[in-house]
Amino acid sequence: MDCRKEGENFQKLVDLVAKLRVECPWDREQTNQSIKKNLIEEAYELLEAIEENDNEKMIEELGDLLLQVVFHSQIKKDEGSFDINTVIEKLIEKLIRRHPHVFGNSNVKTQEEVLKQWDEIKRKEKESIFDGIPKRMPALMRAVKVQNRAAKVGFEWENIDQVWRKVEEELNELKEAKTQQEKVHELGDLLIAVTNLARFMKVDPEEALHLSIDRMIKRFSYIEKKAKEMGKSLEEMSLSEMDNLWNEAKKFDY
């Protein structure tokens, strides 16, 4: 597909969304606030398609995500704030500014040099090293981002043994917590420490938790299947029975 065709198709999409905002009662009533959760949902559906390496699903989910960008921009255009062209222009400016080795005189060549340069450019653009980390990002992902930013300026454990000791310290403090507020505080500190441990082990804690959740679902599905074969409902089964079936599922590498 040539660039002209790509441009024409994009403009068709923009025009279509603008028409929907005028003629469709549902689209007309939406605000950035009312559809903000759709953006997150579409992003996760795209992530799943990427993980499955399913091209057809990727095409569909990329389209759905693109629709969200155009829809949010159209709402702002209708308010008289900005339009999709402003969004694209700002993106182009940022990409050029952050790639001086491509569009400027920088001589960096390796991936590591590019990332270091990228971080230096971003730091100059921000007041704090933590600027740009979304508050609504999933907590484990946000914790890793914050810890990595702090580590880049020297706020980092020297070795993994220190991290293990911190995990043990936070676990003991959680055991000793009395009030609900103390429990919330100490549990959060423990999760931060465990996230640090994951970084030192080069494990993505978000991914590790997702995999554990998947295993739990598969193993419990095995319990549900066996319960049906036994003619029982889950409520009729004892914890001991379910635990035995859980251990059976583990043998099948569920």
Side-chain angles (χ1 to χ4, degrees):
M1 182 179 292
D2 61 35
C3 294
R4 185 177 63 181
K5 187 66 174 177
E6 291 174 349
E8 289 174 355
N9 282 338
F10 185 76
Q11 188 60 53
K12 282 182 182 178
L13 173 61
V14 173
D15 293 342
L16 186 149
V17 172
K19 183 178 178 67
L20 290 174
R21 284 279 293 166
V22 172
E23 300 183 15
C24 173
W26 185 89
D27 290 271
R28 187 168 57 241
E29 294 301 316
Q30 300 315 303
T31 66
N32 295 111
Q33 289 292 326
S34 71
I35 63 170
K36 64 183 181 182
K37 291 184 179 178
N38 296 354
L39 181 63
I40 297 172
E41 182 180 330
E42 298 298 353
Y44 278 121
E45 289 179 0
L46 173 59
L47 179 61
E48 184 174 296
I50 292 171
E51 289 176 342
E52 294 173 358
N53 196 28
D54 187 324
N55 288 338
E56 288 303 314
K57 281 181 68 174
M58 278 187 66
I59 291 170
E60 180 178 354
E61 300 306 339
L62 280 166
D64 289 345
L65 190 57
L66 177 59
L67 172 59
Q68 292 300 310
V69 175
V70 175
F71 200 170
H72 277 280
S73 299
Q74 184 63 43
I75 291 172
K76 284 302 182 183
K77 181 180 180 180
D78 295 339
E79 294 175 358
S81 300
F82 62 82
D83 61 14
I84 190 66
N85 284 321
T86 308
V87 174
I88 295 172
E89 287 168 1
K90 290 291 184 181
L91 175 58
I92 291 171
E93 289 174 7
K94 183 167 66 174
L95 287 173
I96 292 173
R97 184 173 67 252
R98 292 185 179 178
H99 290 81
H101 53 292
V102 177
F103 304 105
N105 299 320
S106 175
N107 293 319
V108 301
K109 299 186 183 303
T110 68
Q111 176 176 299
E112 291 75 16
E113 290 175 334
V114 169
L115 290 175
K116 183 179 179 180
Q117 175 183 256
W118 179 278
D119 288 334
E120 289 173 351
I121 293 171
K122 286 182 68 176
R123 276 203 296 271
K124 292 177 182 177
E125 297 172 353
K126 310 292 184 181
E127 291 185 9
S128 167
I129 61 171
F130 302 122
D131 285 351
I133 300 177
K135 290 183 179 180
R136 294 299 298 273
M137 177 182 283
L140 285 176
M141 294 174 63
R142 187 179 177 210
V144 171
K145 284 272 189 183
V146 168
Q147 291 166 354
N148 282 337
R149 296 274 183 94
K152 285 177 180 177
V153 295
F155 192 77
E156 178 69 298
W157 298 105
E158 294 179 0
N159 56 65
I160 195 170
D161 290 336
Q162 293 176 329
V163 185
W164 272 115
R165 285 196 291 272
K166 187 62 176 176
V167 170
E168 292 165 1
E169 174 190 322
E170 298 298 350
L171 179 59
N172 289 330
E173 290 181 2
L174 176 59
K175 289 178 181 178
E176 295 171 3
K178 299 294 189 295
T179 68
Q180 186 64 21
Q181 184 177 2
E182 288 175 343
K183 291 173 183 177
V184 170
H185 181 94
E186 298 302 341
L187 180 60
D189 286 350
L190 176 60
L191 290 171
I192 284 284
V194 171
T195 303
N196 253 323
L197 182 63
R199 286 195 313 114
F200 269 75
M201 290 180 167
K202 301 190 183 307
V203 172
D204 181 340
E206 188 82 19
E207 181 66 16
L209 183 56
H210 274 300
L211 292 173
S212 290
I213 293 169
D214 288 344
R215 286 197 301 275
M216 180 177 180
I217 292 172
K218 287 180 180 179
R219 290 170 183 174
F220 204 82
S221 295
Y222 179 83
I223 295 174
E224 290 178 311
K225 176 185 174 184
K226 288 297 182 181
K228 287 181 181 178
E229 291 176 0
M230 295 163 62
K232 286 187 175 184
S233 68
L234 292 174
E235 291 78 6
E236 293 172 328
M237 298 184 72
S238 68
L239 178 59
S240 177
E241 286 177 302
M242 287 193 284
D243 196 46
N244 287 335
L245 289 172
W246 178 275
N247 289 327
E248 279 185 24
K250 289 175 68 174
K251 292 178 183 178
F252 296 113
D253 197 29
Y254 272 54

